[in-house]
Structures are given as structure tokens and as C-alpha cells.
Amino acid sequence: MTGYILKRLLSAIPVLLGITVIVFLIMALIPGDPATAILGSYATPENVERLNRDLGLDKPLVQQYFIWLGNMLQGDFGTSFSLNRPVLDEVLERFNATLILAGTAFVLCAVLGIAAGVVSAANQYGWADKAITFAVLLGISIPSFFLGMMMILLFSVNLRWFPVSGMWPIYGDRNISALLSHLTLPAIALAVVATGVIARLSRSAMLEVLRQDYIRTARAKGVHERGVIWRHALRAALVSIIPVLGIQAGFVLSGAVYIEIVFQWPGVGRMLVDAILTRDILLVQGGVVFVAACYVLFNIVVDVAQTLLDPRIKT
């Protein structure tokens, strides 16, 4: 297992290098002069030249990339010019908020999606299967940002059950209760689409397992149907479900960008949008690379978990 994990970690290196190249080139190819955008009304030719020299933008593009990559490998992501603080400090602070939102949404979609898929497969063509299928198709069809706005309108503006936006109340204590009240709507809005996808694929995986001979044997031996479904069939189906969870984790993490904008959640997604608008190059590059690295590492964890369930995958 140790060898397999090392192999997966080594295979992640070219992926991360490719991400750094793509992010760097995209930011370099954006029209306009970053120094002029940063300086604003102070963008005199002398100031622009000085800032370009400070940022290293006067050097060839290839040299700029390797200087940035070398500094980043040493833990120096640079300094945000719009915030005047180290990029890594800002990203880590914002990532905590994103992790709370995306982590909660992922747990919701994983638990609800798998449970819905299992119940749907166990009651194939029954009323529960039809109701879950309808709800799943409806959830998949509604964009998360639109659902979020409708939830704000209904539950925050009209019913006033939940706060409209933010992570903490402006006034009052910052405790678990306050966090949960602010977290409920964005987490549900972010989890809905992923829940539908996981439920559909969990249903398909369960139906395939339930047709296997050993499931018929378990039933013939008198094993209770609930035990057949949840103890035998689900464990075998998880081998097919876990990779889907890894893919949906990426969807949830990327979807957090527009959910954070809708709910004004102070996470990495909102930070990246603000950084793009202000042409804060180092903050955008550092934020994207950090989030991409987290996603790659999470996929390695998913692969290891899948291997533990089915050791044949290592071969």
C-alpha cells in the first residue's frame, strides 16, 4: 500500500506542474497592463515602470514563470498588492471558510445521495423510486446559483428563518449556532446538484450488485433484506460509488465560487473573483494553485480508499 501511495503522489507532480503552467499563462495573456490596473490614478509612466520592475514583469515570460515557481516551491507565494499581505496567509484564512462550506456540502451530498440511491434501488419501480428519481432530476436541472437566490428570497427575505448572507452575524456572538444558521442555505444550495448525481450513480451501482449471485445466495440463506441491502450490497457498490464522490468533491469545490458570491461567503472563491477584478496576479495564481493541489490530494485519498475496498485495483 505504501508503494501505491508513493506512486500516486509522484503521478500528481506533473499534474500540479501543468496546472501552474496553465494558470500562469492565462494570467499572462489577459489583455491590459497589470501595473496600470494596480496603480489606478497613480499610473504614471515612472510608477508603472517601477512596479513592473518590482513585480518582475519586465523579464521574459519564461523567466517570470520559473522565478514564480521557484519562490512558490519554497513556500513564498508572493505578496498581494491589493491587500498588502502575504498571498499564502490570505489563501489559508479564506480557505478555512471555503472548507467549512464545501466540506459541509460534500458530507450532505455524499450521505443523502448514497442513501437516496440505495433506497431507490431497493424499491425499483416503486413509489419511493419514482419520487426519488423525480426529485433527483429536478435537483440536477436547477443551477446552484439560481437555487441559492430563490432560497434567499423565500427563507431569508420572506420567512426570515435564516440570515441573508455572510458567515457570521454583524452583531452578536460568533458561536456554533450563529455559524450553522449562516451555513444552512449555502451548503444546501451547493449540495443539491451533487446529491442528484451521486444518487443516480449509486442507484445504478446498487442495481448491478443486487443482480449478483452472492446476493441471491444471501437471501436464500435467510439473511434479512435490510442486511442484504446495507451490509452486503452497499459495501460492494461502494467500489463504484467512491470515484464518483471524488469527482463530485471537485464539483463542490469549484461550485463554491459562485455560491460564495451569491451568499457573500468570505471564502477562496469570493477572494479569487475580487483578485481577478483588481488584477492581483499573485493572489489569483496562488489561490488557484492551492485549491487545485487540495483537489489533487483529495483524489489521491479517494483512490487509496477505493483500493482498500477492492485490492485488485492496485494491479
Side-chain angles (χ1 to χ4, degrees):
M1 179 57 70
T2 303
Y4 176 75
I5 295 174
L6 290 175
K7 181 180 178 181
R8 294 291 293 113
L9 288 173
L10 290 175
S11 67
I13 293 176
V15 174
L16 292 174
L17 287 175
I19 291 171
T20 61
V21 172
I22 293 172
V23 172
F24 182 84
L25 289 178
I26 289 175
M27 294 305 299
L29 295 175
I30 292 178
D33 182 16
T36 303
I38 293 171
L39 291 170
S41 59
Y42 298 97
T44 62
E46 295 79 11
N47 289 338
V48 170
E49 183 180 356
R50 186 182 304 111
L51 184 56
N52 278 327
R53 187 167 57 251
D54 293 339
L55 291 174
L57 298 177
D58 57 336
K59 296 180 175 61
L61 195 62
V62 175
Q63 188 176 354
Q64 291 180 39
Y65 169 75
F66 282 107
I67 291 174
W68 170 67
L69 181 62
N71 291 335
M72 194 168 56
L73 291 175
Q74 299 175 38
D76 180 12
F77 282 60
T79 300
S80 167
F81 280 84
S82 62
L83 302 174
N84 195 28
R85 65 176 302 193
V87 168
L88 187 58
D89 292 348
E90 180 68 15
V91 170
L92 289 174
E93 182 179 317
R94 294 298 193 103
F95 188 72
N96 288 332
T98 297
L99 192 60
I100 292 173
L101 174 59
T104 303
F106 179 74
V107 171
L108 283 175
C109 70
V111 173
L112 296 179
I114 292 175
V118 171
V119 172
S120 183
N123 298 275
Q124 189 179 15
Y125 304 129
W127 66 268
D129 185 22
K130 294 177 181 178
I132 290 173
T133 300
F134 175 77
V136 163
L137 292 176
L138 186 64
I140 293 176
S141 304
I142 301 176
S144 296
F145 66 89
F146 178 77
L147 178 62
M149 291 187 288
M150 294 301 101
M151 291 173 70
I152 290 174
L153 185 62
L154 176 60
F155 296 109
S156 299
V157 177
N158 294 332
L159 298 177
R160 298 187 178 182
W161 289 354
F162 298 99
V164 174
S165 62
M167 182 176 175
W168 300 105
I170 299 176
Y171 303 104
D173 297 332
R174 294 191 171 189
N175 49 34
I176 295 296
S177 176
L179 177 61
L180 290 177
S181 66
H182 285 78
L183 178 63
T184 302
L185 292 186
I188 293 174
L190 183 56
V192 166
V193 174
T195 300
V197 174
I198 294 171
R200 292 293 295 170
L201 295 173
S202 297
R203 179 182 182 274
S204 299
M206 283 293 295
L207 288 176
E208 183 178 351
V209 171
L210 289 173
R211 297 189 185 102
Q212 300 299 315
D213 291 337
Y214 69 90
I215 297 295
R216 298 192 188 97
T217 303
R219 286 170 173 160
K221 288 182 176 180
V223 178
H224 194 276
E225 186 65 18
R226 186 175 299 175
V228 171
I229 297 295
W230 295 99
R231 190 164 64 244
H232 297 286
L234 179 58
R235 182 174 181 179
L238 281 176
V239 177
S240 300
I241 295 173
I242 284 180
V244 178
L245 296 180
I247 295 172
Q248 292 308 305
F251 173 82
V252 169
L253 197 58
S254 61
V257 173
Y258 43 84
I259 291 297
E260 288 177 1
I261 298 299
V262 171
F263 288 91
Q264 292 298 295
W265 190 268
V268 173
R270 185 179 168 193
M271 178 202 74
L272 288 175
V273 172
D274 293 340
I276 291 171
L277 294 176
T278 57
R279 294 298 300 277
D280 197 335
I281 299 174
L282 292 177
L283 187 56
V284 174
Q285 293 174 171
V288 172
V289 170
F290 183 85
V291 172
C294 291
Y295 177 58
V296 170
L297 290 176
F298 182 81
N299 272 275
I300 293 175
V301 173
V302 168
D303 290 343
V304 172
Q306 189 181 15
T307 303
L308 291 174
L309 285 173
D310 188 359
R312 295 172 299 176
I313 295 175
K314 286 192 294 186
T315 59

